[in-house]
Amino acid sequence: MSSTEYHVNRRELQFVVMEVLEAGKLCGFEAFSDFDEDLFSMTINEACTFAEQVLDPINQSGDREGCRVEEGTVKTPQGFPEAWRQMGEGGWLSMKMSPEFGGMGLPELVTVAAKEVQLAANQSLCIGNTLTTGAANLIYTFGSEVQKQEYCEKMFNGTWSGTMCLTEPHAGSSVGDIITTALQQPEGHYLIKGTKQFISAGEHDMSENIIHLLLARTEGAPEGTKGISLFIVPKYRDDGTPNDVTLVNIEKKMGLHASPTCVLSFGENGNCQGYLLQGENRGMAQMFQMMNEARLFVGLQGLAGAGAACQNAVSYANERVQGPSTLSPGERAKIVEHPDVRRMLMQMRSVTEGLRAMMYTVAWYTDMAQHGPEETREYYQDLVDLHIPICKSFGTDQGFEVACTGIQVLGGVGFTRDFPLEQNARDQKIGSIYEGTNGIQALDLVGRKFGVKQGALLENLTKELNWFDGNPPEDMLVDWVREWESYRHMMFESISNLKRIGEHSGQSAYLLYAVNMLQLVGDVLCSFYLLKQAQVAKLKLNEKLPEGMDLKAYAAESEEAGFYWNKLNTAEYYVWSILPRVLSHERIIRNASLTPLEADLLV
Ligand SMILES: Cc1cc2nc3c(=O)[nH]c(=O)nc-3n(C[C@H](O)[C@H](O)[C@H](O)COP(=O)(O)OP(=O)(O)OC[C@H]3O[C@@H](n4cnc5c(N)ncnc54)[C@H](O)[C@@H]3O)c2cc1C
């Protein structure tokens, strides 16, 4: 571990992916029958090495140098084009994608682990990575055979990159307000005209071509989201002709300096060709199908930042000497001795591991929904759908908070550019804004997910949370699980309460404290998944414990036992010292103050 560099905690990944979620068992499904557990481990290990050796070394320099506009294109920082090339060659852009076009065909669970570590090493570069994967996936899923042949392989291997062009200057959260137009031509293609803003990796020097997946309105299309279609708009056409896509500007941002966020003009000269994906007016539905993956990825951005922050902070706290030691009277203390610093480190670690426990499980649910037994696919899809806004929103809010706490652990130097934490916090902040702001995620949770399919998603969550009924806890876990049960009960009570508030005071009142509800559910779920991990860790410890030896003493003398012991600590801390945040959210929801709706906020 280092206070300035990123080193992956491979043991933690091994534990979560292989021991808790038992990735090896996924090989029993036809889609993964060519893999085995060793191959999964090797892939994750290679992803870690790539993150440490290629992505991390250019993270800080990329932030300092930033992107600049030169002769109508964007020059990315030194080392970025080469890292992008290696990313494509290594298959990291197409981990989950079909082998038909050169993808690795890996499970989501393994993909998520690889993505977390790569994001932790370099958020700026990995944003472009994901957008390319997302754009290629749209073409793979909805494109004609000809379109797939033309684009997929080159996007899977990074020769070409991709973007998602939704946002326009006056249409952000409200995508239905977009006005970019698409006029059908006798030859079959469309002419695109409009301006897109905030387009990540919209222009750059890392790939030979850029394939924009763009939302636009065709002639006579219905208003709002019903009248939006999805187009493939390449920077260069297949004969190499420029396609009338112009870079207007790049944003000067708080973070992600090495990721060009572009304003793009399409069709300034009336000559920008777009190729329809599948059919007119299906754009929003197509985007929705890809949304879960994209939102889980943004949640991972928070987790990745949190993971890196934990390492830097723990490492620094074990180096920095300040104040008298209480453990060794007469000596100076490493700051890790001070109770308040210990509390901060424990908070950071518990939240981070809680987020990881939840998000990796959601990746596993995704694999079960897509490749598991037919009869349980809907159940797991419901769980995915319910968890996604929580992963995205809770993940990015908590990840940012962990990075800020990390800055606090370091003290003054945490606020300087000598340590990576300030960049970490700046780079992460965008996670709560893009891919649907966190406020809008909360509306999705309470406004849609709670009620959809006559409440089936919540019913299935109830079943999932009954896990301890079939896996009774032992020893210290009995008390922890009992305590957690009381919060689980409170969560469902609070959901019923919120419904009553909505029935009594209307829709705005129902939505007013949606963010509190999302945070409440986030804490209950993260602690649940951590307790499941603790159960696994405890069983492993029991198996290995030498006869007559105390668990704590064993943990102190064996590195492996120490790892499992730490897992118990993490769950214990979450239950007793983090989960009580739920009480505050529950009370705020129950109080149902309508003041924000009634207050004069004009001044
Ligand atoms: C670095 C960066 C990269 C980006 N990359 C891309 C990209 O690649 N492609 C792309 O298309 N876009 C991209 N975006 C745009 C991003 O998705 C939008 O900024 C985001 O959707 C929010 O839209 P907005 O900025 O217009 O804010 P607004 O929609 O104006 O929202 C402002 C505030 O109002 C709230 N709000 C708005 N509507 C509602 C509502 N109905 N109910 C409750 N609250 C509401 C929001 O939660 C927010 O707090 C990027 C943005 C940035 C900064």
Side-chain angles (χ1 to χ4, degrees):
M1 260 194 288
S2 155
S3 55
T4 52
E5 289 169 0
Y6 176 61
H7 296 288
V8 183
N9 182 347
R10 288 169 168 78
R11 182 68 189 88
E12 162 78 358
L13 297 186
Q14 175 76 18
F15 173 71
V16 181
V17 176
M18 303 302 172
E19 296 174 43
V20 178
L21 294 166
E22 301 181 307
K25 289 190 177 164
L26 293 173
C27 302
F29 302 145
E30 201 190 329
F32 309 123
S33 55
D34 287 346
F35 294 100
D36 58 31
E37 195 178 308
D38 287 346
L39 262 175
F40 290 158
S41 287
M42 264 171 52
T43 307
I44 293 175
N45 197 35
E46 277 176 33
C48 298
T49 306
F50 184 69
E52 290 166 342
Q53 295 183 358
V54 179
L55 300 179
D56 186 49
I58 55 170
N59 189 35
Q60 193 191 56
S61 57
D63 175 65
R64 303 300 186 260
E65 188 184 335
C67 296
R68 59 185 189 278
V69 178
E70 269 182 20
E71 295 168 5
T73 185
V74 174
K75 194 150 174 38
T76 55
Q78 201 175 4
F80 273 60
E82 173 57 19
W84 175 269
R85 191 189 61 72
Q86 290 187 37
M87 195 165 242
E89 266 182 22
W92 304 119
L93 298 173
S94 54
M95 286 182 267
K96 222 195 123 179
M97 314 295 274
S98 162
E100 189 187 345
F101 293 103
M104 290 200 220
L106 286 164
E108 180 79 350
L109 175 57
V110 177
T111 304
V112 151
K115 279 186 176 172
E116 184 205 322
V117 299
Q118 295 182 350
L119 266 169
N122 195 320
Q123 301 227 355
S124 276
L125 190 67
C126 291
I127 300 304
N129 163 346
T130 307
L131 288 161
T132 297
T133 307
N137 204 5
L138 277 169
I139 298 175
Y140 180 74
T141 309
F142 301 111
S144 66
E145 208 41 52
V146 174
Q147 288 170 331
K148 284 196 242 183
Q149 293 294 342
E150 183 164 3
Y151 298 102
C152 285
E153 191 172 340
K154 285 187 172 158
M155 292 176 82
F156 283 14
N157 67 26
T159 309
W160 293 352
S161 62
T163 74
M164 296 293 217
C165 296
L166 288 77
T167 307
E168 297 179 7
H170 60 284
S173 302
S174 184
V175 182
D177 292 344
I178 63 159
I179 54 171
T180 294
T181 53
L183 256 188
Q184 191 167 20
Q185 302 301 298
E187 300 89 331
H189 66 261
Y190 289 71
L191 282 183
I192 307 291
K193 189 156 187 57
T195 302
K196 294 285 178 181
Q197 189 185 22
F198 291 137
I199 305 307
S200 296
E203 176 57 43
H204 57 80
D205 57 357
M206 298 188 293
S207 62
E208 291 173 12
N209 200 357
I210 301 174
I211 311 303
H212 305 286
L213 270 281
L214 172 140
L215 291 181
R217 293 186 176 287
T218 54
E219 219 175 358
E223 283 189 3
T225 51
K226 289 200 174 82
I228 292 178
S229 306
L230 185 56
F231 294 88
I232 303 172
V233 184
K235 175 180 167 184
Y236 297 111
R237 296 180 199 152
D238 57 5
D239 61 0
T241 321
N243 192 28
D244 196 12
V245 181
T246 316
L247 172 71
V248 179
N249 207 349
I250 57 172
E251 307 290 348
K252 296 183 179 66
K253 311 190 295 289
M254 167 183 179
L256 292 185
H257 290 159
S259 165
T261 309
C262 305
V263 180
L264 296 177
S265 175
F266 293 85
E268 269 188 8
N269 305 304
N271 197 18
C272 175
Q273 295 189 2
Y275 314 112
L276 185 67
L277 261 187
Q278 217 177 30
E280 290 188 4
N281 303 329
R282 297 187 191 174
M284 280 315 283
Q286 290 164 331
M287 282 288 181
F288 258 107
Q289 238 172 289
M290 298 296 144
M291 224 161 248
N292 278 351
E293 211 170 299
R295 290 185 171 167
L296 179 59
F297 173 81
V298 177
L300 274 182
Q301 201 182 337
L303 164 61
C310 281
Q311 286 191 8
N312 297 150
V314 167
S315 174
Y316 184 83
N318 280 283
E319 294 159 8
R320 171 73 172 166
V321 173
Q322 200 69 195
S325 170
T326 43
L327 297 180
S328 317
E331 289 184 20
R332 308 290 291 163
K334 292 193 172 141
I335 61 170
V336 71
E337 272 188 35
H338 300 308
D340 185 54
V341 173
R342 297 186 77 79
R343 178 194 58 77
M344 288 192 279
L345 293 174
M346 203 62 215
Q347 178 87 8
M348 292 172 72
R349 180 191 287 171
S350 290
V351 169
T352 303
E353 292 185 10
L355 292 178
R356 186 176 294 114
M358 175 172 68
M359 290 188 205
Y360 282 37
T361 306
V362 172
W364 181 83
Y365 289 155
T366 305
D367 289 322
M368 294 301 288
Q370 293 175 354
H371 305 286
E374 204 60 54
E375 61 277 14
T376 54
R377 285 189 182 188
E378 188 177 353
Y379 172 80
Y380 285 113
Q381 188 58 49
D382 285 351
L383 289 175
V384 173
D385 290 343
L386 186 69
H387 278 74
I388 286 297
I390 301 160
C391 290
K392 194 278 177 186
S393 187
F394 194 66
T396 53
D397 282 343
Q398 295 296 313
F400 181 69
E401 213 173 294
V402 167
C404 292
T405 307
I407 292 173
Q408 195 69 21
V409 169
L410 267 67
V413 295
F415 195 64
T416 70
R417 284 157 55 121
D418 296 336
F419 286 82
L421 278 151
E422 62 84 32
Q423 182 192 343
N424 179 334
R426 285 188 286 106
D427 284 353
Q428 269 202 61
K429 181 56 203 151
I430 184 60
S432 66
I433 297 169
Y434 58 20
E435 203 48 54
T437 63
N438 283 2
I440 287 175
Q441 299 304 312
L443 302 186
D444 179 44
L445 179 71
V446 307
R448 242 171 57 79
K449 302 293 170 64
F450 279 0
V452 80
K453 292 172 74 181
Q454 284 93 42
L457 277 57
L458 278 176
E459 265 172 40
N460 286 336
L461 179 67
T462 308
K463 284 185 204 153
E464 194 66 11
L465 297 185
N466 284 338
W467 187 83
F468 285 106
D469 293 352
N471 301 274
E474 288 175 12
D475 302 333
M476 68 278 253
L477 272 158
V478 173
D479 275 354
W480 305 351
V481 170
R482 192 182 302 123
E483 181 71 2
W484 169 79
E485 293 277 8
S486 69
Y487 287 97
R488 169 176 83 152
H489 181 69
M490 190 178 289
M491 175 179 83
F492 285 112
E493 277 286 295
S494 192
I495 292 171
S496 304
N497 234 331
L498 187 65
K499 283 186 187 148
R500 279 194 289 277
I501 290 164
E503 282 156 16
H504 183 261
S505 307
Q507 182 71 355
S508 295
Y510 178 69
L511 300 177
L512 188 56
Y513 295 103
V515 164
N516 293 88
M517 178 56 79
L518 187 144
Q519 301 282 331
L520 185 164
V521 179
D523 270 332
V524 172
L525 294 184
C526 282
S527 48
F528 168 64
Y529 294 116
L530 271 184
L531 283 168
K532 282 179 77 173
Q533 289 194 354
Q535 180 98 321
V536 174
K538 180 68 177 34
L539 290 174
K540 299 267 179 193
L541 270 174
N542 288 351
E543 274 168 25
K544 292 169 193 256
L545 184 68
E547 223 178 293
M549 196 167 184
D550 168 63
L551 265 186
K552 200 170 175 183
Y554 178 45
E557 77 168 31
S558 146
E559 194 180 326
E560 189 63 358
F563 173 82
Y564 291 125
W565 182 254
N566 267 340
K567 294 307 293 185
L568 293 176
N569 287 170
T570 312
E572 181 181 23
Y573 182 83
Y574 209 114
V575 168
W576 299 108
S577 305
I578 298 181
L579 204 41
R581 297 192 294 204
V582 163
L583 298 169
S584 139
H585 292 304
E586 187 276 336
R587 191 62 185 262
I588 291 168
I589 292 165
R590 187 151 43 95
N591 286 346
S593 163
L594 299 183
T595 308
L597 298 180
E598 291 155 0
D600 174 5
L601 294 176
L602 290 172
V603 284

